[in-house]
Amino acid sequence: MDVLVFSGAFLVEQYDLIPLMRTKAAQGVRFRILVGDEKSPAVIQHAIDEGTPGGLEGRIQLMRRYLSEVTDLDGVEIRTHGTILYNSMYRFDDTLLVNVHSHGALAGQSPVMQYKRLPEGPIWKYYMRSFENVWSNGVPE
């Protein structure tokens, strides 16, 4: 499972991600989670643009606190990033969800596109290359 978000706290609050991560990590599933650095200029500007100054930063701090419970598990890697986030991404095996961000809109109000990995599928490779670029520059928690 690969995740690229600023906050993504809904994954814990609505989908009970932490117990799932514990169970799946024990079964050998690998998790790579990228969350925003709440102090980065990109996060601060994004919060202002969506009309939630301070709110987004707080949600990121909350998510980092949630994730601190699983950072010691084998197969779980958490990193922070300060990139401009054009899309949030959620990869589960051969399925990729891309939450397309629009200026001034909350992520939850924006469309989500679903892609399947195909052997020669260019869209999958395009988005995963973007994920890998952010991952390579992320700061380990």
Side-chain angles (χ1 to χ4, degrees):
M1 179 178 173
D2 292 331
V3 174
L4 170 61
V5 292
F6 271 153
S7 166
F10 77 94
L11 293 169
V12 175
E13 298 166 350
Q14 294 176 17
Y15 297 102
D16 216 14
L17 181 65
I18 300 304
L20 177 70
M21 288 178 75
R22 283 192 185 106
T23 300
K24 293 295 185 181
Q27 297 170 357
V29 173
R30 182 177 167 206
F31 293 87
R32 296 188 304 168
I33 314 277
L34 277 158
V35 297
D37 173 354
E38 69 274 8
K39 296 176 186 148
S40 75
V43 167
I44 293 166
Q45 186 62 52
H46 188 88
I48 291 168
D49 291 346
E50 71 180 14
T52 62
L56 177 59
E57 298 91 327
R59 299 285 294 158
I60 291 169
Q61 291 171 353
L62 182 62
M63 183 60 163
R64 291 174 70 186
R65 169 72 172 84
Y66 288 141
L67 291 172
S68 70
E69 298 178 27
V70 293
T71 55
D72 62 336
L73 297 178
D74 288 338
V76 174
E77 294 181 76
I78 313 293
R79 295 185 183 181
T80 58
H81 70 92
T83 63
I84 296 171
L85 192 59
Y86 300 103
N87 301 289
S88 296
M89 292 187 243
Y90 311 89
R91 185 195 63 79
F92 311 93
D93 299 321
D94 291 332
T95 299
L96 176 64
L97 302 176
V98 178
N99 181 206
V100 182
H101 294 208
S102 298
H103 184 267
L106 299 171
Q109 296 172 327
S110 299
V112 176
M113 309 298 211
Q114 180 177 347
Y115 300 99
K116 288 294 215 184
R117 183 186 343 211
L118 301 174
E120 296 303 319
I123 293 175
W124 179 278
K125 291 175 186 174
Y126 173 84
Y127 281 115
M128 291 311 297
R129 188 169 37 253
S130 176
F131 178 91
E132 295 298 339
N133 286 338
V134 179
W135 182 258
S136 69
N137 291 307
V139 177
E141 283 284 286

